[in-house]
Amino acid sequence: MVEARLELEPEVQEILECIDAGRNFLLSGGAGSGKTFSLVQVIKQVIRENPTSKIACMTYTNAAVKEIEERVDHKNLSVSTIHDFLWDNIKHFQNELKVALITLANDDEVTRIKIDEQNPVPIDFFIDCKDGIQYKEYLRLREGIISHDELLIVSKYMFEHYPKLSDIVKDKYKFILIDEYQDTNKAVVQSFLDHFPNSKKQSIIGFFGDSMQSIYDDGIGNIDEYKGDEEGKVKEVKKEQNRRNPQLIIDIANKLRTDGIVQVPSNDISAPNMLEGEVINGKILFLYSEDDDINIAKQYLSENNGWDFSDSKETKELNLTHNLIADKAGFRNLMDIYDKDPVIKLKKEILDKIKNNKKNNRPEILIEENDSFDIVVDKFQLKNRQRELKKDILLQDPDNEALYNLLKNKPFSYVRRIYLDKDSLIDDKKQDEDDINKKGSKRDNLIKHLFKVQRNISLYQNKQFNEFIRITDFRTMIRSIEDKRILKSNIDELINVGERTIEEAILDAHEKGICLIDENVEKFKTEKEYLYNRVKDVHYREFQKLYEYLEGKTPFSTQHKTKGTEFNNILVILDNGGWNKYNFENLFLESGSASVLERSQKIFYVCCTRAKENLAVFYHDPSDAVVAKAKEWFGASNVINMSEI
């Protein structure tokens, strides 16, 4: 075994020494360091040395689950998302689950788990739940159904209050490994590092990841409070090599890191960033202009550096938000429906007012049971800073007035339950194009159905006929050459939809047998009538544009969405997009709020380190101080004023 270990990476050998000593460990590695490779090496060696012990490996997405399973296929290895792991280990303890939910619902400090009109929630509240407490992709707390976020809170409570649960999990898994730990919710880390020790049984917890790539608000970011060399602490092992990026990009990335890791090129001559034994130098550019037209920069990169923005596999344009991309990628109307509905915004402001009045012991504005939305709006008389009624401002726009009229006479009790979230439109936490209905995806059932329609069309277009026949609802109707001709004609009509609306395309796909309307869609039309009525009249070709974008078939991506990927050419658009969480001037000047600076450093770090060959940054109208810092980071000859070309 010792000889076998000597063939492994030094960092993996150090991790195995931690395991020998019964120590929890953390592998910290920057972008392109090969953390997943190290994780796989650890798993394989642990299996060799502990052939009867079971290993649980958790990661953030189903795509990562699939990748690890493909690299290690062993009966003693269980790979899953963190949410699936937690649910699999608590779902059988139904009595404890019910107690946990009732206790949390009665806890004023827990805002996420609340059951309306029940205060306090009685101890026997869930006694009639015939299917027990369930975990699904949606939340119906009164029916005992919890979703993604509630699961984390409930599982933390379970591990904290029932040490026997930790005993059971430790008996089942001697080794628990967590990939991309920085994206893991704090409640999960607390379960494993604060509450697991309450069990006297032994297990090893291992974390793999990079604190500089913690760019999601719900991730823990780092586990610094748990790290240390003394017994009982998590032992950190640093992996400082970089196998992906050219030298110039490594240099910029090191200027952004704040955790003491200084990356160096890999000494593996077969690494992607090596050529004939030498690290590739790469090319970096900082482009800026008083004009905010990004096409100027793209034209320059195409004509002078040979970038091909039509090739989405080689070149990506990274923006901060989906909203900044919506116009370019062609799905602005859909984004506005889900993210900028003025009537639902007014409703939310009323609910916020109700909550604030209660919190600050202000007089309650009485809402009668049969009050319409319009009556409640008039009761609250919400005003802007100029003391103008928000209702009056909304009604000045004919389009907004039409939306308001759809809801004005509906009961307020109905309108208050209407919830719109852009994640219902653009969430893409799924395994692959087949994995449309992944548990945990926030896409709503209408968008899921539209993805199914377009997925079937894409399979046919890409000549994946066997797969198309397997999943399409047309499969029972293909009996002759004439049937195939009809099918081709039907598909062509759905590809070239012209002015047809989303509703017309759904009905067309149903009637042609390409994708039948199921009960989920019918239920959506009834329960989410307002949203359905807004979406159904949008041109279907706009959804086709959204599909292409989310499937990575356009040159556009958000800076968050690109995490974990790599491309030859990366163009980063430094535009705050109206967000107060990021400030790219502060990034270059290392000034301003510490939290905003940290977020800006991390998102820029992730963006820069996606580039395998060339990196370009476009900054609209930077200050002289920003340009000076850019010259320091990129080199004076690589900082170009596009206005002077």
Side-chain angles (χ1 to χ4, degrees), residues 252 255-256 286 584-591 604 619 622-636 639:
I252 286 181
K255 291 180 173 72
L256 297 167
F286 182 93
F584 294 122
E585 182 167 53
N586 290 358
L587 165 70
F588 280 82
L589 303 185
E590 298 181 35
S591 61
F604 191 51
Y619 197 124
S623 65
D624 291 342
V626 168
V627 173
K629 176 59 76 170
K631 289 180 178 178
E632 179 185 327
W633 283 1
F634 287 76
V639 176

Side-chain angles (χ1 to χ4, degrees), residues 321-326 331-346 348 403 418-426 444 447 530-531 534-535 542 577-579:
T321 69
H322 293 286
N323 261 314
L324 291 169
I325 293 170
F331 56 91
R332 168 52 61 196
N333 290 319
L334 285 170
M335 180 60 81
D336 284 349
I337 288 171
Y338 278 84
D339 196 42
K340 295 182 178 180
D341 188 295
V343 183
I344 302 307
K345 179 184 177 186
L346 181 62
K348 183 180 182 303
L403 293 177
I418 297 175
Y419 178 70
L420 302 182
D421 182 1
K422 65 178 180 292
D423 281 348
S424 301
L425 176 74
I426 50 83
D444 65 38
I447 298 303
Y530 176 74
L531 177 56
R534 291 212 63 192
V535 173
E542 182 164 322
W579 283 30

Side-chain angles (χ1 to χ4, degrees), residues 93-110:
F93 304 99
Q94 284 292 321
N95 289 334
E96 291 81 359
L97 272 169
K98 291 172 183 176
V99 170
L101 269 178
I102 291 165
T103 305
L104 291 165
N106 288 327
D107 188 337
D108 292 336
E109 305 252 329
V110 181

Side-chain angles (χ1 to χ4, degrees), residues 102-132:
I102 291 165
T103 305
L104 291 165
N106 288 327
D107 188 337
D108 292 336
E109 305 252 329
V110 181
T111 58
R112 181 83 198 182
I113 298 177
K114 284 288 170 278
I115 300 174
D116 293 341
E117 302 165 5
Q118 292 286 334
N119 189 16
V121 179
I123 194 69
D124 61 350
F125 185 82
F126 292 111
I127 196 169
D128 294 327
C129 285
K130 62 177 192 273
D131 295 319

Side-chain angles (χ1 to χ4, degrees), residues 582-609:
Y582 303 90
N583 188 302
F584 294 122
E585 182 167 53
N586 290 358
L587 165 70
F588 280 82
L589 303 185
E590 298 181 35
S591 61
S593 159
S595 61
V596 172
L597 174 60
E598 182 181 30
R599 285 193 205 98
S600 304
Q601 286 171 325
K602 287 180 176 179
I603 197 73
F604 191 51
Y605 175 86
V606 167
C607 290
C608 291
T609 54

Side-chain angles (χ1 to χ4, degrees), residues 60-61 82-83 179-186 208-210 213-222 563:
Y60 196 64
T61 66
I82 290 168
H83 289 77
D179 192 22
E180 300 288 1
Y181 82 92
Q182 72 278 356
D183 296 329
T184 304
N185 190 280
K186 186 175 183 179
F208 295 75
D210 181 11
Q213 295 187 66
S214 60
I215 59 176
Y216 300 112
D217 289 340
D218 57 353
I220 191 169
N222 64 68
K563 182 173 173 285

